[in-house]
Amino acid sequence: MKSKKIKTRNLPQDRMVVRTVRLKPLGLCCGIFMAGVALLLLRPRMMTLGIVIMLLGLFATFIMPDRILCEFSLKYMVIYNQRDTTQCMIIYYDELFSWEYEKHGTSDLLVLTLKDGSVETQEMYSRASILSPMNSYAPNKEIRHRKRKGASA
């Protein structure tokens, strides 16, 4: 199996990263800031609320922690879920048996099952951020659970 845990410094230097999934949604943070600016400019009576929203956007953008959750390349994906931040897991798409997105209360999980039976999990916060690249590079490998009628949640 080519898929394995490696040191991040041993990742191929010539790799071309097509998509990166980060912990912090920068687009949303900037959108919050811009909403505060718009509120401040368009509704001067709501200046306090506009300033609070702007500060919230700035706080989320510059103060809250951020890290890379996973990267997608043409032949493999790299997931950074190791306790040791100098390590990562490289998973080749041809060795991927199935993948599943599980929703949980605090954070969701991307569950990757390899052809040798091993399972890797990655903490995620948005299904939309990984749906397109996973369907592009690992098509028809998603496990979907159908909700049954009358089943209690």
Side-chain angles (χ1 to χ4, degrees), residues 111-128:
V111 181
L112 304 165
T113 305
L114 303 179
K115 288 185 178 177
D116 68 351
S118 62
V119 176
E120 287 293 324
T121 59
Q122 174 64 40
E123 216 174 55
M124 287 286 166
Y125 297 93
S126 170
R127 185 174 195 273

Side-chain angles (χ1 to χ4, degrees), residues 66-84:
D66 190 21
R67 64 182 169 97
I68 297 174
L69 297 176
C70 63
E71 294 177 333
F72 293 92
S73 296
L74 296 175
K75 294 182 181 179
Y76 56 85
M77 69 183 293
V78 179
I79 57 175
Y80 298 92
N81 68 337
Q82 310 302 319
R83 286 187 184 267
D84 182 2

Side-chain angles (χ1 to χ4, degrees), residues 25-45:
L26 288 176
L28 181 63
C29 295
C30 291
I32 290 171
F33 176 77
M34 294 307 293
V37 170
L39 190 63
L40 185 66
L41 295 176
L42 298 175
R43 302 278 184 201
R45 289 181 288 150

Side-chain angles (χ1 to χ4, degrees), residues 99-111:
W99 68 275
E100 177 180 10
Y101 192 86
E102 295 180 353
K103 288 191 158 284
H104 297 282
T106 56
S107 67
D108 300 341
L109 287 177
L110 175 63
V111 181

Side-chain angles (χ1 to χ4, degrees), residues 18-19 72-75 93 132-139 141:
V18 179
R19 176 97 186 251
F72 293 92
S73 296
L74 296 175
K75 294 182 181 179
Y93 301 123
S132 176
M134 288 302 289
N135 283 333
S136 295
Y137 300 117
K141 294 185 179 184

